[in-house]
Structures are given as structure tokens and as C-alpha cells.
Amino acid sequence: MPDRLREQFVALASGRQPRFTERVTGKDSAGALFHADMTAIAVRGLAGGTSGAVVLLHLPAPAAAVPAATPPVTRSAVAHAGPLLSALDAQVLEGVARGESTVQLASRLYLSRQGIEYRIGQMLRRFDTPNRPALVSRAHALGMFAAGQWPPRVLPEHVKP
């Protein structure tokens, strides 16, 4: 990891800055290099300290790679970008994205702590993620949240009717 990027993460973790954006270069699964804008956002815990970070990569589309007539995106095409959630799971995911604790979620949604932990555990498996910040990051990468909105909301096309 480059020193500049390491310093940015240290500042994020220590609370000196709430977020940062850096231009990064990485390798995809085929080994090809790509350039992206990486944004890291601190997730605060109940005590006010940093409890994690959400990291987003924005890959700009090359001008030559965009077809002249892009077909419209349909509800069924968008829904396949990520799993469909029940209305309750969508509320739990939104709470996790806001940084709510298990107890806060249980109280707000009138469920037990174990019920919340069960639902989060199921989503961790469905999204193939190891922890809550990674779950939120994966959901965001799949386009499940409305862009630029706080508090985060799962888009209706990702919620079962």
C-alpha cells in the first residue's frame, strides 16, 4: 500500500478526517490493471470512535467502450445486480449502513437481538461478506442504495414486492 494511502487510512481511523478520495490503480480478476477513484468513509460507533470504514471504488467508463445506443435498464435487469431483500431485511441493511448497533436495530424494528443477529448473519452469507462494513460496501457496489442519500435507503427494485 502506498504511503499516501496508508496515511489517509490512519487519519480516517484516528478520526482526524471523516472521509477521503484517492485515485488508485488495481488489478482485476484477470490480472489486467484498472484505474478508479476510491472513497473511504469512516463508520462511527456508539462511543464516537471509528468502528469501521466503507470503501467504494468508482470505475469511470472509457468513452470508446460506451455504445452509442445503450439499451434501457429494466427492473428485472437491475434486480439481478444483487439479491432481492424482504422489506424487513432492507430495513435491517439500512440500519447497518447507518451504523446502528444490534440493540438499536432490535428496539427500532421491535425484534429481539438474536433476531437481528440472525438476519444480519443471513445477509452476510448471501452477500458473501465477512462483516458489517463489508456488507454495506458490497450492497453499495451492487447499486442497492440510492446514490447521494442520507440516511441510506435500499432502492425499491431490490425489495421483494
Side-chain angles (χ1 to χ4, degrees):
M1 178 185 300
D3 289 338
R4 185 177 79 215
L5 197 55
R6 186 183 329 273
E7 290 169 9
Q8 292 278 26
F9 274 109
V10 168
L12 190 73
S14 68
R16 290 193 314 249
Q17 65 184 33
R19 68 186 297 149
F20 70 86
T21 301
E22 286 286 337
R23 185 83 172 153
V24 296
T25 302
K27 283 188 177 181
D28 64 17
S29 59
L33 290 178
F34 68 89
H35 301 286
D37 292 321
M38 181 185 74
T39 300
I41 304 165
V43 176
R44 304 285 176 211
L46 291 177
T50 302
S51 63
V54 174
V55 178
L56 309 168
L57 288 178
H58 179 265
L59 303 169
V66 177
T70 304
V73 177
T74 63
R75 178 182 167 95
S76 61
V78 172
H80 292 299
L84 281 177
L85 301 175
S86 69
L88 183 57
D89 283 342
Q91 288 180 309
V92 170
L93 182 58
E94 291 167 356
V96 170
R98 281 192 300 272
E100 291 181 22
S101 69
T102 299
V103 172
Q104 289 171 319
L105 280 166
S107 175
R108 186 171 58 81
L109 298 174
Y110 303 104
L111 294 172
S112 67
R113 289 186 342 264
Q114 294 83 0
I116 294 296
E117 287 296 337
Y118 173 79
R119 290 189 170 279
I120 291 172
Q122 290 295 317
M123 282 191 278
L124 290 173
R125 284 185 281 287
R126 286 177 69 192
F127 285 82
D128 191 30
T129 55
N131 53 41
R132 290 177 183 213
L135 173 65
V136 173
S137 182
R138 177 74 47 89
H140 193 289
L142 291 170
M144 296 185 74
F145 292 119
Q149 182 177 350
W150 189 262
R153 294 279 181 232
V154 173
L155 293 170
E157 55 264 23
H158 294 284
V159 179
K160 293 176 186 173

